[in-house]
Amino acid sequence: MLIKRNSLKAFVILVIPGSFLTIFFIIPLINILLMAFGVFDEGNLVTFSHFVEVLNHPLNRKFLFWDIQQALLTTFLCLLIGIPGSYILAHYDFPLRNLIRSFLTIPFILPPIVVLLGFYSVFDEGSLINNFWKDLTGYQLINITNTYEGILLAHIFYNIPVIIRLTEIGWKNINPDLITVAKSLKASKWRIFRNIQFPQIFPVLAAASLLVFIYSFNSFAIVLKLGGVQFQTLEVRIFNYIWVYFNYNSAAALTMIQLLINVLIILLYLYFSNKYEIPTERFSWKIEKSLIDHPYTRKFFVRNTLVGLYFVLIGVICVLPVVGVFYASLTTSENVFTLLNYSKLFDQDISSFIGLHPLNMIANSLLFGIGIILIAPLLALLLNYGLNYETTYKGRPKITLFRSFTGIIVILPLTVSSITLAFSLFSLYRETPIYENISLVIIIAQTLIAFPFANRIIAATRSNIDQTTVNVARSLGVSRLGAFFKIELPLLLPGIVMAGLFSFAISIGEFGATYFLSKSNFATIPVGIYRLIAMRDVAAAAGFASILVIITVGSFMIIDRLGKVDFRI
């Protein structure tokens, strides 16, 4: 009877997060699936005609293969550039190493719209670098608009930190004792790498590569602006099917194709990522060596020069677009210092061009962000508490079919891109008050995007709580709810704060779903930046973006103080 009562209580706790996911995620996705198979067409017969139409369209096939190709090439180039850096950071100590690590985090935490603007301000026609190179050689250095090179450059900038930071963990967790034994047996460096190092680091390399692939494959803001009509990811193609051609059935079919690819990639990612769920600092105390505490030989100078040049290159790649945003916000087209670009944000006239006053966009972003802070961690907290309500005599959660099924449902939002998520909500609720009150549907969409990350943070925090204290309290007559409030909740508080800040940072910089769903009255900072870029007013957009950078980086600095910025999903 006690087990049944506990099961009932756990079920009641899970009603809120379960209902939220069911109503706003699972049912809308099922609706997209039914649209793709023509269930709502005249005649109500299941048909594959929409899939056939989509796959027979030469542009769709072209963009599908191009999307996969650019994601693979981005992944390869990021591995090529990032692995040497991760090896150095994992094995050697040198001045400014921690600062370099911090700089390597910056590109990943920036909203994609800021990355786009950073490349515009640095590499667009008329930018400082292009003007300098043109004065020097008579030719423009690079053209990023409507070029494959521009998209690759932006994707590499965004994803290099993922490779470096994750594979650094892999290098650090290779058992050095095995290497010592191999060296004592006179094994060559190549044999040590092939037989010892590579098998241990391969799961990390695979997981990091799959992560980069899916980020590039689902890219929206960068490709929407830099790709033009020549280059489109499936994400951009789906968006165009909906808002340019108003062909919802074909958009649904293309969405299902994209979702299938995403599910396969995420499943592979989860398979490999589970192979390195071990402490980051397990062996690091044994393998750090100093780069500068060596005799001043020729080898010393060559090695340190190459390392220095490498990190200068990485630093330029990671920092230059961010510097470009602030530089563009503080200068005129003649490179004269000015604060006019910031004063435009208070100018009423600009609202007629971008649909809403910038201050209102800032207010909307903060409003949505605060809403996500309150909702996403609460849903994650209820989910974790409900799933772990029933425990074994050792205090561990009971493994039940329901718990396993719920764990799969929680992972599913990771497989859905922002445009797919927005489309699913739009297609089901566009004629209901949920969509008419557009601020509500944006908050729902952003919560669904932030929820898996908030859940991961809270679940990780909870796994570090010693359940012995909870069991002792229960044995002394404290109720399960009382033990939660008196013992678990105080210990979970840092994780809840981190989950809230992470959710806020995701919300404040989210572009894809918000741009898809937002009407003029509820536009946000990223939407305003995109509209200013479309007007070719890069300076005003840079002023807007600099505010977004400060808010986002500030949020992640606090998160980094509380814990660690996790690049995994």
Side-chain angles (χ1 to χ4, degrees):
M1 182 64 69
L2 181 61
I3 293 175
K4 289 183 178 179
R5 189 179 302 165
N6 284 340
S7 298
L8 180 61
K9 289 180 179 179
F11 178 78
V12 170
I13 294 167
L14 290 169
V15 163
I16 294 177
S19 298
F20 185 88
L21 288 172
T22 301
I23 295 170
F24 299 119
F25 178 69
I26 297 173
I27 293 176
L29 272 187
I30 292 173
N31 183 63
I32 293 290
L33 180 65
L34 296 176
M35 288 174 60
F37 282 105
V39 173
F40 303 122
D41 294 354
E42 292 183 11
N44 297 323
L45 295 174
V46 174
T47 176
F48 288 92
S49 61
H50 300 302
F51 287 98
V52 172
E53 177 190 342
V54 162
L55 292 174
N56 279 340
H57 198 298
L59 283 180
N60 289 335
R61 292 200 303 272
K62 172 189 173 183
F63 291 135
L64 172 60
F65 292 132
W66 177 84
D67 197 3
I68 294 172
Q69 181 193 70
Q70 66 83 19
L72 287 172
L73 186 55
T74 298
T75 303
F76 172 75
L77 292 174
C78 285
L79 285 170
L80 194 65
I81 299 170
I83 288 176
S86 68
Y87 182 87
I88 295 167
L89 288 172
H91 289 81
Y92 295 99
D93 187 22
F94 53 92
L96 304 178
R97 187 178 67 164
N98 291 333
L99 183 63
I100 289 171
R101 270 208 190 97
S102 298
F103 276 125
L104 287 174
T105 307
I106 291 174
F108 185 78
I109 65 178
L110 289 178
I113 195 67
V114 174
V115 175
L116 171 64
L117 181 63
F119 275 83
Y120 252 97
S121 59
V122 174
F123 299 113
D124 192 30
E125 185 178 355
S127 65
L128 185 63
I129 286 182
N130 267 328
N131 286 343
F132 171 78
W133 191 260
K134 195 171 184 178
D135 292 340
L136 193 66
T137 64
Y139 299 97
Q140 184 170 285
L141 177 63
I142 187 173
N143 180 22
I144 61 170
T145 306
N146 299 330
T147 63
Y148 197 172
E149 296 79 9
I151 294 170
L152 280 178
L153 194 61
H155 284 171
I156 289 169
F157 164 82
Y158 195 72
N159 289 297
I160 277 181
V162 179
I163 295 295
I164 293 179
R165 293 293 292 269
L166 287 186
T167 52
E168 181 188 355
I169 295 173
W171 288 119
K172 280 189 172 185
N173 285 286
I174 291 175
N175 193 333
D177 295 335
L178 296 177
I179 298 174
T180 302
V181 171
K183 286 181 177 178
S184 68
L185 296 174
K186 307 300 181 184
S188 65
K189 289 183 178 180
W190 167 247
R191 192 170 183 181
I192 290 172
F193 174 77
R194 185 186 64 190
N195 295 335
I196 299 174
Q197 291 177 307
F198 183 74
Q200 291 188 58
I201 200 175
F202 176 73
V204 186
L205 286 174
S209 299
L210 290 164
L211 202 55
V212 171
F213 179 92
I214 203 164
Y215 284 141
S216 303
F217 181 74
N218 292 326
S219 179
F220 178 67
I222 290 169
V223 181
L224 181 66
K225 190 59 186 172
L226 296 184
V229 297
Q230 289 180 282
F231 305 106
Q232 296 179 27
T233 56
L234 289 189
E235 194 85 331
V236 175
R237 191 68 178 159
I238 292 166
F239 180 85
N240 287 334
Y241 260 115
I242 298 164
W243 292 116
V244 178
Y245 310 122
F246 301 101
N247 189 338
Y248 296 160
N249 292 103
S250 293
L254 201 58
T255 297
M256 286 298 108
I257 294 170
Q258 182 199 42
L259 184 60
L260 176 62
I261 296 172
N262 285 346
V263 168
L264 291 174
I265 297 299
I266 287 293
L267 288 176
L268 283 171
Y269 168 79
L270 292 173
Y271 170 76
F272 285 112
S273 66
N274 287 335
K275 288 183 173 289
Y276 68 99
E277 291 292 341
I278 46 181
T280 302
E281 302 298 330
R282 181 177 174 187
F283 298 118
S284 60
W285 63 276
K286 291 185 178 181
I287 58 178
E288 285 190 2
K289 305 171 186 176
S290 175
L291 273 181
I292 60 174
D293 189 19
H294 284 278
Y296 293 94
T297 61
R298 181 180 178 184
K299 181 180 178 181
F300 169 86
F301 282 111
V302 170
R303 183 188 63 190
N304 286 10
T305 299
L306 291 175
V307 169
L309 289 173
Y310 172 84
F311 281 113
V312 167
L313 173 63
I314 294 295
V316 169
I317 292 174
C318 291
V319 176
L320 193 58
V322 183
V323 173
V325 168
F326 283 95
Y327 181 83
S329 72
L330 293 169
T331 56
T332 65
S333 56
E334 290 79 25
N335 297 320
V336 178
F337 175 80
T338 181
L339 294 176
L340 181 63
N341 300 319
Y342 288 94
S343 68
K344 284 183 180 180
L345 302 182
F346 300 93
D347 189 349
Q348 189 65 38
D349 293 339
I350 200 171
S351 61
S352 60
F353 295 102
I354 60 175
L356 188 66
H357 196 282
L359 291 180
N360 291 348
M361 291 183 176
I362 295 172
N364 286 338
S365 292
L366 294 175
L367 175 66
F368 296 151
I370 292 170
I372 309 307
I373 284 178
L374 298 175
I375 299 172
L378 177 61
L379 291 174
L381 186 64
L382 289 171
L383 182 74
N384 276 273
Y385 183 51
L387 290 179
N388 297 288
Y389 192 88
E390 292 185 81
T391 58
T392 64
Y393 68 95
K394 293 182 179 180
R396 295 173 182 170
K398 283 190 176 180
I399 305 300
T400 63
L401 182 62
F402 174 75
R403 191 174 189 274
S404 301
F405 175 74
T406 306
I408 294 172
I409 296 298
V410 173
I411 291 171
L412 280 179
L414 299 175
T415 67
V416 178
S417 65
S418 60
I419 294 300
T420 298
L421 188 62
F423 178 36
S424 67
L425 290 168
F426 170 79
S427 64
L428 187 61
Y429 295 113
R430 66 179 181 270
E431 296 179 358
T432 69
I434 291 175
Y435 185 73
E436 290 174 3
N437 183 3
I438 199 72
S439 62
L440 181 60
V441 76
I442 290 175
I443 290 175
I444 290 169
Q446 292 185 356
T447 299
L448 286 169
I449 293 170
F451 171 73
F453 297 93
N455 181 67
R456 181 187 180 92
I457 292 169
I458 290 177
T461 306
R462 189 193 175 283
S463 66
N464 292 325
I465 296 175
D466 185 0
Q467 292 298 314
T468 305
T469 310
V470 178
N471 294 337
V472 170
R474 294 293 307 281
S475 68
L476 295 174
V478 178
S479 67
R480 183 72 181 86
L481 189 63
F484 172 77
F485 279 107
K486 292 178 181 179
I487 300 171
E488 290 181 281
L489 187 58
L491 296 174
L492 282 170
L493 193 59
I496 295 170
V497 173
M498 281 185 65
L501 287 171
F502 210 108
S503 301
F504 176 80
I506 290 172
S507 169
I508 206 81
E510 203 285 320
F511 173 73
T514 308
Y515 182 64
F516 186 107
L517 294 168
S518 66
K519 296 177 182 177
S520 58
N521 288 343
F522 293 100
T524 58
I525 296 175
V527 175
I529 293 170
Y530 183 80
R531 290 175 181 173
L532 286 168
I533 294 173
M535 291 169 51
R536 304 293 295 179
D537 194 343
V538 174
F544 220 171
S546 62
I547 297 173
L548 188 58
V549 170
I550 292 169
I551 295 173
T552 305
V553 173
S555 299
F556 275 95
M557 285 178 66
I558 299 172
I559 292 171
D560 204 39
R561 290 275 183 172
L562 293 172
K564 293 293 179 184
V565 177
D566 197 342
F567 287 83
R568 294 172 292 175
I569 61 176

